[in-house]
Amino acid sequence: SNTNSKNKDYYEKHNPKKLAKDEAVIIFEYIKNKNTDELIEYFSDDIKNTHNLQSEWANFYEFINGDIQNYDEISFTGEGMLIDKGGQINDSHLTVIFNNVVTTENIVYEIGYYHQRISKEHPESKGINLFTVNIRDDKGYIVDSCSVGDIIIY
């Protein structure tokens, strides 16, 4: 049907993974180059107003042993979207994970962020709300982590 293809075009235009992939590549470069001002620009107003992001980023980099080099792959977890009866997206969010991030000290981390792409109900939450860096053991359990920002529960 015509409505379906119209909705499909709309979804494609707002496809979280497609939009997030290009953005993630840029964000990783900012992380790698410690461009905290650029990273802070991505955060939601809510987090910018309630956190000392400069200080939290300083802790984030202190937590990491060595300089970040590269990652294996980007994965998208926790993707969610709410579409109303009219086909409008009211909420769109996802988690982006850089897997096997290696530093100059040859230490492997997992770096990820939670991105609220659209929120009609809470526009102040639009943007990145949380960045985390994790160290996992051989079994895949998180044994240590550090974060910037927070998950906002309304």
Side-chain angles (χ1 to χ4, degrees):
S1 81
N2 195 10
T3 339
N4 255 357
S5 77
K6 202 173 115 194
N7 282 350
K8 197 171 177 291
D9 292 346
Y10 178 73
Y11 178 79
E12 266 313 299
K13 194 177 141 203
H14 296 278
N15 181 333
K17 286 184 184 152
K18 195 174 161 203
L19 295 168
K21 178 80 164 65
D22 299 338
E23 197 172 59
V25 171
I26 295 166
I27 286 173
F28 187 82
E29 284 306 305
Y30 288 155
I31 296 168
K32 188 176 162 178
N33 298 319
K34 301 183 180 180
N35 295 348
T36 50
D37 290 346
E38 283 86 348
L39 288 165
I40 288 169
E41 283 301 303
Y42 280 95
F43 277 81
S44 70
D45 288 345
D46 219 334
I47 295 296
K48 284 182 196 165
N49 295 334
T50 55
H51 285 255
N52 180 342
L53 292 174
Q54 287 291 357
S55 151
E56 289 181 29
W57 274 112
N59 293 339
F60 184 92
Y61 285 114
E62 216 168 275
F63 178 85
I64 296 171
N65 191 346
D67 292 324
I68 293 170
Q69 297 297 287
N70 48 40
Y71 58 89
D72 272 356
E73 60 174 359
I74 299 172
S75 57
F76 302 96
T77 59
E79 181 187 349
M81 194 181 265
L82 290 174
I83 302 174
D84 68 18
K85 286 188 177 93
Q88 288 296 305
I89 300 171
N90 288 331
D91 181 281
S92 173
H93 59 269
L94 61 98
T95 301
V96 177
I97 306 281
F98 300 102
N99 296 294
N100 300 318
V101 175
V102 182
T103 68
T104 48
E105 297 298 313
N106 224 19
I107 297 176
V108 179
Y109 296 92
E110 172 189 85
I111 294 177
Y113 58 91
Y114 175 81
H115 195 166
Q116 184 72 47
R117 301 194 67 86
I118 298 170
S119 178
K120 293 268 162 55
E121 204 178 330
H122 298 285
E124 69 281 7
S125 73
K126 186 177 181 257
I128 290 175
N129 288 296
L130 177 71
F131 256 95
T132 55
V133 53
N134 298 321
I135 300 174
R136 291 184 180 271
D137 66 12
D138 298 341
K139 291 185 175 76
Y141 294 107
I142 295 173
V143 288
D144 204 358
S145 71
C146 180
S147 63
V148 178
D150 210 349
I151 289 290
I152 309 163
I153 308 294
Y154 291 99

